[in-house]
Amino acid sequence: MQKNQVTLIIFNVIQQYFGGKNMNCKTKKLTTIGMLCALAYIAAAIGRIPLVLFLKYDPKDIIIVIGGLIYDPLASLIITLIVSFAQMITTSQTGILGFLMNVISSCTFACTAAFIYQKKRKAAGAVIGLLCGWGGMIAVMMLWNYYIAPIYMGYSREEIAKLLLTAFLPFNCIKGGLNAGFTMLLYKPVVTALRRSNLIESAPSDNENKERIRKNIVDNPTNKENKISEINKNSNKKIQINKGIFGIAFVIILLCIVMIYCLK
């Protein structure tokens, strides 16, 4: 597979995804996904942290999965393809195989989480999705590292097998755990900021409340100023993260920190 073939595949996926949508909606979605792609690439390029031996962690999957939770699994796929291709032609030294590894790893985590959340759009659905994505990513990357990594790493399969439990497994556990934990903490603030910027639609409950207040203004114009102030108050209310999710995220991140400390 050549770079021009990869480019064509990415272009076709993007064209299919954005085709036939309302122009205003399409523009907002393009803007948001473009912004997430840029942030994910920056995170991958300058946020690399050594964890286990030669393996380095970067937080780009946090941004990729947030895109999927906002829209759908295909949004995560598009962001992954664009960012992985940009890495391949700029910072990566592993070529097409490195591109495929990044796509498989990020999509297993992000698309799984987004798919489950799409079926159950509640806090529990997001947590279950992220945990399933974490587990799926570990399983898939263990298989990838055993069968494919020897091709481009210059190690024999026997040498790779010795590293599976001592390096690859703990690295992927830490990587997936940090991604899941920080996503739980960052998703709500990011979505709130995008809603206030009018880049994504408000939650259905917020729209219903605003519509109810506007209807009351029409029915009872004397309280118009109070009702308008109520709308503004609701729009500017503080971001509140679910305490249960905060607790789960805190425990996951703490466990990852302990694992990093034990590996040093």
Side-chain angles (χ1 to χ4, degrees):
M1 185 183 293
Q2 301 299 320
K3 290 181 181 179
N4 57 344
Q5 293 176 306
V6 175
T7 306
L8 184 61
I9 291 170
I10 295 172
F11 178 77
N12 287 334
V13 172
I14 294 172
Q15 189 178 44
Q16 289 293 324
Y17 185 63
F18 289 103
K21 296 182 181 290
N22 175 274
M23 183 56 70
N24 186 44
C25 177
K26 185 191 294 185
T27 302
K28 289 181 180 180
K29 202 166 190 177
L30 273 168
T31 302
T32 305
I33 288 180
M35 181 173 62
L36 293 174
C37 286
L39 290 172
Y41 176 77
I42 293 169
I46 66 175
R48 296 173 66 80
I49 304 169
L51 281 186
V52 184
L53 299 179
F54 52 86
L55 299 170
K56 296 181 180 180
Y57 167 79
D58 67 69
K60 72 174 184 293
D61 286 355
I62 298 171
I63 301 165
I64 292 171
V65 75
I66 286 176
L69 295 176
I70 291 172
Y71 294 115
D72 50 46
L74 192 52
S76 285
L77 173 62
I78 288 172
I79 298 170
T80 299
L81 288 171
I82 293 172
V83 174
S84 299
F85 181 75
Q87 284 183 271
M88 182 179 69
I89 61 176
T90 55
T91 60
S92 176
Q93 299 177 344
T94 51
I96 293 295
L97 285 175
F99 167 81
L100 291 174
M101 179 189 69
N102 284 327
V103 170
I104 291 170
S105 174
S106 296
C107 283
T108 303
F109 173 70
C111 293
T112 300
F115 177 79
I116 293 174
Y117 182 62
Q118 193 177 39
K119 299 297 181 183
K120 187 177 182 180
R121 297 192 73 85
K122 294 182 179 179
V127 172
I128 293 170
L130 289 167
L131 294 179
C132 289
W134 180 12
M137 188 267 294
I138 293 172
V140 169
M141 292 314 296
M142 290 294 283
L143 291 172
W144 172 277
N145 288 321
Y146 181 73
Y147 288 106
I148 309 298
I151 297 174
Y152 63 90
M153 287 184 62
Y155 288 20
S156 67
R157 184 158 283 115
E158 290 73 21
E159 291 173 313
I160 292 292
K162 293 177 182 178
L163 293 173
L164 284 178
L165 296 180
T166 58
F168 292 116
L169 179 60
F171 171 75
N172 284 300
C173 285
I174 294 168
K175 176 183 176 181
L178 291 175
N179 288 337
F182 281 114
T183 300
M184 292 177 195
L185 296 178
L186 294 174
Y187 175 71
K188 185 72 172 181
V190 170
V191 168
T192 301
L194 291 173
R195 282 176 178 157
R196 289 176 179 174
S197 303
N198 200 32
L199 286 173
I200 62 175
E201 295 181 359
S202 299
S205 58
D206 293 339
N207 289 331
E208 288 172 6
N209 288 335
K210 289 180 180 179
E211 188 61 33
R212 176 180 55 78
I213 294 169
R214 289 192 180 98
K215 186 177 180 181
N216 288 338
I217 291 174
V218 174
D219 295 339
N220 189 7
T222 55
N223 293 327
K224 182 176 179 179
E225 291 184 3
N226 292 335
K227 298 299 182 181
I228 291 174
S229 66
E230 187 178 345
I231 292 176
N232 293 333
K233 184 179 179 181
N234 288 335
S235 298
N236 297 319
K237 61 184 178 182
K238 292 182 180 179
I239 300 168
Q240 294 182 346
I241 299 174
N242 183 294
K243 291 181 181 179
I245 291 180
F246 180 84
I248 294 170
F250 178 79
V251 170
I252 291 173
I253 293 170
L254 183 62
L255 286 174
C256 291
I257 293 172
V258 171
M259 289 179 65
I260 294 170
Y261 179 78
C262 292
L263 289 169
K264 295 299 182 182

